[in-house]
Amino acid sequence: MEEVRVFPLTCAVQNYAWGKVGLDSEVAKLVVGGDPVAVVADGKPYAELWMALSIQAHPNRELAARLHAQFPEHYPDNNHKPEMAIALTRFQGLCGFRPVEEILGFLKSVPEFHALVGNEAAGELLCSMGDAVHTSQVLKKCFTRMMNCEKKVFVDQLNMLVKRVTEEGAAGKDTSSSNGDMLLRLHSQYPGDIGCFSIYFLNHIVLDPGQAMFLGANEPHAYLYGDCIECMACSDNTVRAGLTPKYIDVNTLCEMLNYSPAPASSKIFPCVQDASDPCVSLYDPPVPDFTVMRIQVPASVKQYTVAPVDSASILLVIEGDATATSAAALSDVTLRRGTVLFVSANESVSLHITSQSGMNMFRACCLL
């Protein structure tokens, strides 16, 4: 019997606390689409659908190896973990340190934030402008001071801030200088969490569907709202410091971060049109671990070939219906919303599209 090299996958669902609940979750909708007999619980969060190929950052290879050796219960492997998020819906996240001017603006307009950073560190940050190396050093000092505040101190300051912003909003005042809307939303989800103050350090990124952001090693980030396709290197290493019920390691996170300030626009990662296929957009990040293809087949096309590539790949159907055939498959495979198909290296798949609106798919692979 010939080896089966194209076949559907049954994927694991992660019910992390921060996931959307029931069928409000895109993950739950994909699960039901891919498996019509699957049952989605109304009150249960559906956070991620895993296909194997929070304020957090992912370590580089060197740090990953050291953390794995020292704390294997928290850092289960020795690989780095760059990742890319591609928005399916309007998507919001925090990523990378803001330009210093923006951080200084919040230190001036949010006294509760200033109290946690301290006069000395805030003054040093102001004086460091124009010297990139010195700025990074002082930014590390400011962030570390805030993250290491005694719990009673930051909880008191957070409660004061929330009270002030709530009262100002109720009085019809503009609270944007305190990032009021985001603060109240995060505080409602994570009351008393030091991560609520991270919004004054980190860029607020807003992605429209199809836009992406790439997160290199040591880049602080958190996903706030929306649905996305996330692709990453083969690792489960994450260093967390807030906005999560999971294990928190503040000292490691503060030590490892990339403290290079940059505008929010610099974090948005562009896709490029594939020169050989007008249906394919490529998201090819500056790491060799993975590439993501977005395949959008228009309604006018009823026959489409998923071209072979030099690595194994995973195909996820977001929208549309088709019958997939391949010489490397055991039989024809019905594709629908939520179907996940494994395709071995150098294998093609022919699609007979039956939906009236075309197809929208994502393919993760490694372009060698």
Side-chain angles (χ1 to χ4, degrees):
M1 180 178 174
E2 290 188 17
E3 182 183 9
V4 179
R5 294 171 57 81
V6 174
F7 50 87
L9 297 177
T10 301
C11 301
V13 176
Q14 302 299 330
N15 302 106
Y16 299 140
W18 44 262
K20 291 182 182 178
V21 175
L23 287 172
D24 286 340
S25 167
E26 185 71 15
V27 169
K29 293 174 184 175
L30 290 173
V31 169
V32 172
D35 180 6
V37 301
V39 176
V40 171
D42 290 340
K44 195 172 186 178
Y46 291 80
E48 296 180 354
L49 184 64
W50 278 16
M51 293 145 246
L53 192 60
S54 24
I55 306 297
Q56 57 179 242
H58 304 301
N60 59 26
R61 280 197 175 93
E62 293 74 20
L63 179 57
R66 190 164 74 248
L67 291 174
H68 174 62
Q70 293 176 325
F71 311 107
E73 70 276 21
H74 299 306
Y75 304 105
D77 58 76
N78 61 2
N79 198 17
H80 70 163
K81 194 181 177 184
E83 68 182 52
M84 181 166 54
I86 305 170
L88 291 176
T89 62
R90 187 171 171 83
F91 187 83
Q92 297 184 47
L94 302 175
C95 181
F97 283 94
R98 294 174 176 271
V100 175
E101 297 84 357
E102 294 182 17
I103 298 172
L104 289 169
F106 284 125
L107 284 168
K108 184 176 180 180
S109 62
V110 186
E112 301 86 354
F113 172 48
H114 190 285
L116 300 187
V117 172
N119 288 328
E120 179 190 349
E124 286 186 44
L125 187 62
L126 178 61
C127 294
S128 75
M129 292 183 65
D131 183 338
V133 174
H134 189 209
T135 293
S136 293
Q137 293 170 343
V138 179
L139 194 51
K140 178 179 180 179
K141 179 178 180 179
C142 292
F143 187 75
T144 302
R145 280 182 65 105
M146 185 192 79
M147 295 302 297
N148 282 294
C149 274
E150 292 183 16
K151 184 165 185 177
K152 184 181 185 310
V153 174
F154 78 69
V155 169
D156 285 349
Q157 292 296 332
L158 182 56
N159 288 339
M160 289 167 56
L161 175 58
V162 169
K163 182 175 183 292
R164 176 173 66 80
V165 168
T166 301
E167 290 175 350
E168 289 177 355
K173 295 181 180 178
D174 181 6
T175 63
S176 60
S177 63
S178 297
N179 219 342
D181 290 345
M182 190 186 305
L183 171 76
L184 295 181
R185 190 173 73 194
L186 288 182
H187 185 260
S188 70
Q189 295 173 305
Y190 299 96
D193 194 308
I194 187 65
C196 292
F197 282 103
S198 67
I199 61 176
Y200 303 121
F201 275 115
L202 304 182
N203 283 302
H204 178 212
I205 310 292
V206 179
L207 301 178
D208 290 324
Q211 288 188 307
M213 61 179 176
F214 173 72
L215 311 166
N218 304 330
E219 192 83 69
H221 61 278
Y223 296 158
L224 301 180
Y225 187 81
D227 301 297
C228 73
I229 296 291
E230 188 180 33
C231 190
M232 62 190 67
C234 188
S235 171
D236 199 23
N237 286 326
T238 301
V239 186
R240 303 176 183 88
L243 304 182
T244 177
K246 291 188 172 185
Y247 173 73
I248 285 176
D249 188 349
V250 171
N251 291 335
T252 297
L253 184 111
C254 290
E255 190 60 36
M256 67 181 268
L257 290 182
N258 172 13
Y259 288 95
S260 300
S265 59
S266 69
K267 304 302 178 184
I268 298 178
F269 186 78
C271 65
V272 296
Q273 191 72 46
D274 188 335
S276 61
D277 186 341
C279 296
V280 174
S281 300
L282 288 173
Y283 301 84
D284 194 14
V287 292
D289 303 75
F290 58 83
T291 296
V292 176
M293 301 176 180
R294 183 180 187 182
I295 306 174
Q296 295 175 288
V297 185
S300 59
V301 176
K302 296 304 177 184
Q303 302 290 333
Y304 179 79
T305 299
V306 179
V309 294
D310 291 335
S311 76
S313 64
I314 293 172
L315 186 72
L316 168 64
V317 179
I318 300 298
E319 293 179 285
D321 302 282
T323 299
T325 60
S326 172
L330 190 62
S331 61
D332 291 355
V333 179
T334 299
L335 302 186
R336 60 172 70 89
R337 176 183 172 89
T339 300
V340 182
L341 196 66
F342 177 84
V343 182
S344 294
N346 303 310
E347 298 291 349
S348 63
V349 179
S350 297
L351 304 185
H352 173 64
I353 299 171
T354 55
S355 52
Q356 298 302 309
S357 57
M359 295 198 76
N360 184 17
M361 302 171 284
F362 284 88
R363 185 185 192 185
C365 62
C366 181
L367 294 180
L368 305 175

